Amino acid sequence: MKKSIINQIENSLEEDDDEEERKESDDYIEIILDETKEEIYLPSTVDFQDVSAKYQQIMFFYESGINQVIAKLQILVNEFKFCNDRNPIDNISSRVKSLESITNKMKRKGLPLTMNYMVKELHDIAGVRVVCPFISDVYYVANILVNQHDVEVLEIKDYIKNPKPNGYRSLHLIIMVDVYFSDHKSQVPVEIQLRTIAMNFWASTEHQLRYKKDRKFTPAMQEELLDCSRLMAEADAKMQKLAEQFSVTDE
Ligand code: 0O2
């Protein structure tokens, strides 16, 4: 019984091969943006109630990318739950970049506020954050993801090896992930930020204090923040050493 169902599926897949190839070349985002070269302007940030249908369709595209990445990560979390003593993933969160944040970033980059520019120039509209216990876990999880055949790496920014001048540390990956819609496949860009619990503590609290709030900190305050980042880095290094002594990170 099972075999015949499998045969049926295989046969129908063979029949669909040509169809599949044709559909894979269609790109959701191109369908949404139309072939017309007409620029579609971003909806106004002051009128959130009236966000255009087209904008919402594009956001659905990014949400689908997030869902795909979260599914991948959730499978890993469950696998580690069953097969390991501990989990290299502490928690996962995600967000679609807000319209305000999108327009601010585009203004900062001097880009026209159109959907075409948004799609072409911003690769962090879909964002997933993965918090791991140890530094080695960050690279371990990142490696698993980038080695999956439906994931293509566009960019890697290693702010752990090269922290930002203000002390920000994290590993950023921009990936293109395959997403299957009802009648075609698209590649969706997703930014994945991977960091330790200590890095996350620093980034979250620093964000609360000032990030993008146009608050000007005095050099002394900036030095304090940098100092806190160094403390976090020291704690991470010590925890990593302990983990290695207990052989908990030799997956
Ligand atoms: P949101 O929507 O608030 O999360 P690029 O994309 O290369 O043109 P960008 O945007 O500076 O330039 O990229 P980068 O350096 O990879 O940083 C993108 C994201 O990393 C930010 O998203 C933050 O989430 C995080 N980040 C970067 N620097 C800092 C920092 O100093 N402090 C904190 N707390 N987070 C940081 P956004 O743009 O804020 O978008």
Side-chain angles (χ1 to χ4, degrees):
M1 176 64 172
K2 251 189 187 164
K3 193 158 190 270
S4 76
I5 292 172
I6 290 169
N7 283 345
Q8 270 176 36
I9 293 170
E10 279 174 353
N11 289 342
S12 74
L13 282 179
E14 273 166 27
E15 282 164 19
D16 280 354
D17 266 3
D18 289 348
E19 183 74 348
E20 187 70 12
E21 262 173 38
R22 192 186 60 72
K23 282 171 179 168
E24 280 193 7
S25 66
D26 293 339
D27 200 318
Y28 181 89
I29 213 80
E30 274 167 23
I31 297 165
I32 300 301
L33 290 173
D34 297 327
E35 293 289 285
T36 61
K37 295 280 171 260
E38 202 182 313
E39 295 289 9
I40 311 162
Y41 284 86
L42 289 168
S44 162
T45 49
V46 290
D47 195 2
F48 279 94
Q49 297 310 311
D50 187 32
V51 172
S52 81
K54 211 138 244 187
Y55 180 77
Q56 283 174 345
Q57 274 177 298
I58 291 177
M59 289 304 129
F60 160 73
F61 168 80
Y62 289 108
E63 274 160 21
S64 305
I66 288 177
N67 289 339
Q68 190 69 38
V69 172
I70 299 269
K72 286 173 178 298
L73 290 164
Q74 200 52 55
I75 287 168
L76 293 178
V77 168
N78 293 344
E79 183 190 338
F80 289 122
K81 243 186 234 165
F82 284 120
C83 309
N84 283 29
D85 305 345
R86 62 171 207 92
N87 217 308
I89 299 176
D90 185 77
N91 73 74
I92 305 163
S93 57
S94 66
R95 64 105 185 89
V96 172
K97 206 175 185 69
S98 69
L99 181 55
E100 191 184 7
S101 192
I102 287 172
T103 47
N104 284 344
K105 187 166 183 175
M106 290 177 75
K107 281 180 195 164
R108 247 192 351 262
K109 287 175 165 249
L111 298 169
L113 298 181
T114 70
M115 296 211 204
N116 285 289
Y117 273 99
M118 175 185 85
V119 167
K120 264 188 235 141
E121 302 293 331
L122 302 196
H123 291 136
D124 63 345
I125 294 174
V128 175
R129 186 169 293 152
V130 186
V131 178
C132 304
F134 301 103
I135 294 179
S136 53
D137 293 333
V138 164
Y139 292 102
Y140 177 61
V141 174
N143 253 311
I144 294 175
L145 282 179
V146 302
N147 280 309
Q148 297 191 355
H149 78 276
D150 54 351
V151 168
E152 186 192 329
V153 183
L154 281 193
E155 196 179 351
I156 298 177
K157 290 190 207 163
D158 193 340
Y159 296 126
I160 300 175
K161 291 208 168 75
N162 304 300
K164 285 196 168 185
N166 66 349
Y168 176 77
R169 292 155 67 237
S170 266
L171 178 66
H172 290 193
L173 310 175
I174 307 277
I175 62 158
M176 296 291 270
V177 67
D178 288 355
V179 176
Y180 288 86
F181 296 97
S182 60
D183 60 354
H184 64 279
K185 180 183 87 171
S186 276
Q187 279 199 306
V188 182
V190 180
E191 182 191 69
I192 308 178
Q193 298 182 350
L194 298 110
R195 49 173 82 145
T196 63
I197 296 168
M199 293 171 201
N200 194 47
F201 166 73
W202 185 92
S204 307
T205 45
E206 189 262 3
H207 188 272
Q208 296 262 328
L209 285 173
R210 76 157 179 181
Y211 197 61
K212 287 192 177 167
K213 287 279 187 289
D214 290 336
R215 286 187 191 153
K216 289 271 175 270
F217 281 89
T218 63
M221 287 160 146
Q222 284 174 4
E223 196 48 49
E224 287 284 310
L225 273 170
L226 201 52
D227 228 38
C228 287
S229 167
R230 285 193 203 107
L231 285 174
M232 295 301 114
E234 213 178 299
D236 267 336
K238 282 189 178 166
M239 285 298 189
Q240 183 65 41
K241 246 192 184 154
L242 283 171
E244 278 157 20
Q245 280 168 29
F246 282 114
S247 307
V248 298
T249 58
D250 52 358
E251 287 96 336

